Amino acid sequence: MTFQAIDTLFLAVDDLASTVVYERLGLRVTGSPFSERARSFQVGGAGRAVRVELIGPRGADHPLSEQAAHARAAQRGLFAVGLRVERLEPALGALAGHGLTGAPVLAGPERWAWLPAAGRAGTDLVLIERDRGATGLEGQAFPLLRLDHLAAVAPDMEEKTAFWERVLGVPQVGEVVAPTLRVRQFRVGDAIFELLAPASPDSPLHARKPGLSSLASWEVADLESAVRLARAAGLTAPDPVAGALPGTRIATIPGAELGGMTMQLLQYVR
């Protein structure tokens, strides 16, 4: 089975008014075609556009309203990752053979299937069949180029690695070992999904809940410029520092200011 891309990030927000901050930042937020209680924006150029679907409370008409409510109750922001497939039914059939079942939840221009896979993959998944459509850069003033990576805390890294490779068919493409942290990387389209595990008894990961992190890392071409724009929008953007991944510099805007999704700005330096 082949996943074409990480298509959508699903973010449960306490109040849709919090989406205004994304507009202030310079991202083009539009209404969701699935619910009046959701908003969305896209990031990335041709072949790499990723959508962020922000789901507010009382959005019972949204296909994932129940799952978003559970995420809010658990104080999680990002709660699922949407993977784009060419055809939904064959993908569901392949996964059913491994005991992972889901039913289509939406008909129309897009077709989705919710897969409760957090215990095996590190995150719940949504399979999405849709045309890629327009890119996300039109009308955007904030210079996010593409989604670089997401991560899930996975103390049982070996089991989840096996699931990504043997069941989902996504091979490991890299590993980073730091004094307190181990990172395994899996490429889906143009982005990376990471599994994080502690590498020492004093690792800060021991204090974090297993599962999907509410941090999304976005590549920028000029980190200092992006930090200035974020500050001009009234957000807390610290001075850039060296990233945990070799050859990167980062600055991180806290999720409390962005409706629950921490935004890491990342620049590659070679």
Side-chain angles (χ1 to χ4, degrees), residues 179-197:
T180 63
L181 175 70
R182 295 167 58 211
V183 182
R184 287 190 178 165
Q185 300 168 316
F186 303 84
R187 181 174 295 279
V188 184
D190 194 48
I192 295 289
F193 185 86
E194 296 180 341
L195 296 176
L196 312 179

Side-chain angles (χ1 to χ4, degrees), residues 46 84 195 205 240:
R84 185 157 47 87
L195 296 176
L205 281 184

Side-chain angles (χ1 to χ4, degrees), residues 96-113:
H98 296 279
L100 189 62
T101 60
V105 295
L106 184 69
E110 301 187 20
R111 304 181 67 237
W112 297 357

